[in-house]
Amino acid sequence: QHNFQQSSYPDAGLDENYCRNPDGEPRTWCYTTDPSMRWQHCDLPSCFGSECYDGNGESYRGLRNVTQSGRACQRWDSQTPHPHSNTPENYPSGGLQENFCRNPDGEQEPWCYTQDPNTRWERCAINPCVAPSPTTTVPDYFENPTACYFGDGATYRGQVSTTETGVTCQRWDSQTPHQHNMVASHPNSGLNENYCRNPDNADRPWCYTTNPNNRWQYCSIPDCYPGVCYTGDGASYRGTIAVTSSGRRCQRWDSQSPHGHDRTPQNYPQA
């Protein structure tokens, strides 16, 4: 028997049999449907993995699948939205699996075709393992994303300035119509113009609105990794991955079979 149930952990997202972390494990996990294996960590990557590439990245075989601007990569075996000849058949040694960043054709670094019909291809959000020269600074493409946000969006530096309901954002250096002290209290949070930001550890980027009757709202900015990776220890993960690192299916959280478990949201109300 166990008490990791949705009624006991209303904020832990214990839906279906999806991987979660209600109790402070190092990363997401689940009970398995294998009677001989009680639980395992899940087959879910960290959004901030420390992958890098050597040389021009021809040998890179990692799982990064997002470009430097936050666009998702197109599958190499797909011709949509961009037709191309860099296929697994034409480059059998290129490691062109799924939509992972690769460099099959001798570019300067790993890249991919994007799922954005208006952007054919881009370099990927991967750093070289070693800077090209002692005076070269290795960029960090996760430091200031502009087309989407990572984690809670604290590093987002894009120019979206409209809330999710379509209201224009108030300038951060303005006290009208809403007074605040965000600029003074958060000087390193990129509070420029009226761009959406997250200076105060909210769930995601937001802004004060120009509507006197609505002080603030979250902004309409996509998550760079919607449901396919976790940040921190995975406590906030709400995706639908339901497979462990060994390939076992997860047991439903509202089931006591085949494994009972005894942690409940009553025991962990902040999980």
Side-chain angles (χ1 to χ4, degrees):
Q1 296 288 310
H2 70 83
N3 57 6
F4 272 117
Q5 298 176 5
Q6 188 173 9
S7 60
S8 300
Y9 289 83
D11 298 321
L14 301 183
D15 307 310
E16 304 291 335
N17 64 334
Y18 304 143
C19 297
R20 296 291 186 261
N21 186 10
D23 61 340
E25 284 291 317
R27 53 194 175 99
T28 57
W29 63 278
C30 69
Y31 295 104
T32 85
T33 53
D34 181 349
S36 64
M37 180 62 66
R38 180 171 171 79
W39 72 276
Q40 282 189 322
H41 288 122
C42 285
D43 185 21
L44 189 67
S46 169
C47 299
F48 298 94
S50 58
E51 294 190 40
C52 63
Y53 65 88
D54 293 311
N56 68 353
E58 287 186 0
S59 63
Y60 174 74
R61 294 297 183 269
L63 306 182
R64 188 60 46 77
N65 58 2
V66 65
T67 73
Q68 62 176 348
S69 69
R71 290 177 169 87
C73 292
Q74 175 182 318
R75 287 182 61 96
W76 294 100
D77 58 4
S78 172
Q79 298 293 317
T80 303
H82 304 290
H84 64 92
S85 59
N86 287 302
T87 63
E89 293 77 16
N90 291 339
Y91 292 87
S93 301
L96 303 181
Q97 298 98 5
E98 304 289 337
N99 65 336
F100 304 139
C101 297
R102 295 292 185 261
N103 186 8
D105 58 347
E107 290 291 330
Q108 294 183 347
E109 58 199 305
W111 61 278
C112 70
Y113 297 106
T114 85
Q115 293 184 26
D116 180 348
N118 298 315
T119 301
R120 181 169 173 79
W121 71 278
E122 282 188 322
R123 61 193 295 186
C124 282
I126 314 172
N127 294 324
C129 298
V130 179
S133 73
T135 60
T136 300
T137 301
V138 177
D140 184 349
Y141 294 126
F142 294 111
E143 184 175 354
N144 297 132
T146 59
C148 58
Y149 69 90
F150 294 104
D152 63 6
T155 62
Y156 171 75
R157 293 298 182 270
Q159 297 183 4
V160 172
S161 58
T162 306
T163 73
E164 59 189 1
T165 63
V167 180
T168 299
C169 294
Q170 174 182 318
R171 288 183 59 93
W172 293 101
D173 58 5
S174 171
Q175 297 295 316
T176 304
H178 305 290
Q179 296 188 347
H180 64 89
N181 65 347
M182 281 294 170
V183 175
S185 59
H186 298 84
N188 299 317
S189 295
L191 303 183
N192 305 317
E193 305 290 335
N194 64 335
Y195 303 143
C196 299
R197 295 291 185 260
N198 184 10
D200 60 345
N201 300 314
D203 289 338
R204 51 196 173 94
W206 61 277
C207 69
Y208 295 107
T209 84
T210 51
N211 181 349
N213 299 317
N214 194 333
R215 181 169 174 79
W216 71 276
Q217 284 187 344
Y218 287 119
C219 291
S220 182
I221 305 170
D223 186 340
C224 296
Y225 287 105
V228 297
C229 66
Y230 68 91
T231 57
D233 64 3
S236 63
Y237 174 72
R238 292 299 180 271
T240 57
I241 299 296
V243 180
T244 73
S245 56
S246 68
R248 291 176 169 86
R249 295 292 299 174
C250 292
Q251 174 183 315
R252 287 182 60 95
W253 293 100
D254 58 4
S255 172
Q256 297 292 327
S257 177
H259 304 290
H261 46 99
D262 59 5
R263 298 278 200 308
T264 68
Q266 285 97 339
N267 293 338
Y268 296 85
Q270 304 302 318

